[in-house]
Amino acid sequence: MGELILVRHGETEWSRSGRHTGRTDLPLTTQGEEQVRMLAPALAARTIVRAISSPAVRALRTAELSGLSNVEVDPDLWEWDYGGYEGRTSAAIREERPGWYLWSDGIIPGDAQHPGESVEQVGSRVDAFLARIRPSLAEGDVVVVAHGHVLRVLTARWLQLEPAAGRLFALATGTLSTLGTEHDRPVLTSWNVPPRLPTAGE
């Protein structure tokens, strides 16, 4: 059985400033591009049978720069739709809703482009995705390039936890994580691993 390799896209202007970035299609920053280029050696060392990305530009560019090829696009890997909180920071939201916490309090509806989702709806999306890709894991590793919150919900569901248990898995930009099995049961095998910096002479 292969592992599910999770790649969170590199830094964007909004991720750097802590703004909720759901369906707004932002590019990577220069720093973000440098982050994901450094993921290439770790990915090249794996036996990858499929690579699947969110449709977002930031995810597709991450896949490209990290050396992945034949990348499939799956709309179920879009980031959580933050509705009326799109583009806002948690601090700004808490000025209106003291103590607000995304994982328990959710979002408010937005405009037509950002109608919003509950954590349960995100969970249903990733459940459908996991069901589709599980057969491929019998052949080797599957890489998933996507976003912070959707990958955290996906991890919770892989581990057979409720979708909101994604709150337990902080995830930085430009990192690798792996999900696998032990005695045929789902486990977390690595988490939030930053790119390895080249050593002298490399």
Side-chain angles (χ1 to χ4, degrees):
M1 177 72 75
E3 289 190 314
L4 198 56
I5 303 171
L6 309 182
V7 178
R8 184 180 174 193
H9 65 74
E11 178 193 81
T12 68
E13 291 290 351
W14 281 16
S15 68
R16 179 163 58 192
S17 60
R19 297 171 68 182
H20 287 89
T21 318
R23 305 305 169 88
T24 303
D25 210 359
L26 298 175
L28 300 179
T29 62
T30 300
Q31 173 65 25
E33 292 193 347
E34 291 174 359
Q35 281 179 319
V36 298
R37 283 191 182 97
M38 289 191 291
L39 297 175
L43 292 172
R46 306 294 296 239
T47 303
I48 296 170
V49 296
R50 291 179 74 182
I52 310 168
S53 174
S54 157
V57 166
R58 58 194 184 274
L60 290 168
R61 182 66 169 155
T62 295
E64 176 189 359
L65 293 176
S66 61
L68 298 171
S69 57
N70 301 314
V71 177
E72 305 167 43
V73 174
D74 194 311
D76 280 338
L77 294 176
W78 264 115
E79 180 59 297
W80 192 332
D81 182 345
Y82 301 117
Y85 292 150
E86 181 77 6
R88 303 189 65 191
T89 66
S90 294
I93 296 166
R94 289 187 189 116
E95 290 179 3
E96 300 172 2
R97 294 180 65 182
W100 175 83
Y101 185 49
L102 174 66
W103 295 97
S104 56
D105 299 320
I107 55 88
I108 58 173
D111 58 22
Q113 285 73 44
H114 307 93
E117 288 180 293
S118 67
V119 68
E120 290 80 15
Q121 287 173 311
V122 181
S124 293
R125 281 201 281 120
V126 299
D127 283 349
F129 172 77
L130 288 171
R132 289 196 298 275
I133 60 94
R134 273 183 204 280
S136 297
L137 291 168
E139 303 169 17
D141 297 332
V142 175
V143 180
V144 177
V145 185
H147 315 272
H149 280 125
V150 74
L151 289 176
R152 292 168 69 174
V153 175
L154 184 152
T155 298
R157 297 304 297 144
W158 176 267
L159 297 172
Q160 300 175 359
L161 303 172
E162 63 178 2
R167 68 187 181 277
L168 303 173
F169 306 107
L171 189 60
T173 56
T175 55
L176 289 178
S177 303
T178 52
L179 306 175
T181 57
E182 183 180 63
H183 306 301
D184 297 321
R185 297 179 185 274
V187 294
L188 184 71
T189 51
S190 70
W191 190 254
N192 205 28
V193 180
R196 186 181 69 83
L197 293 172
T199 58
E202 287 188 311

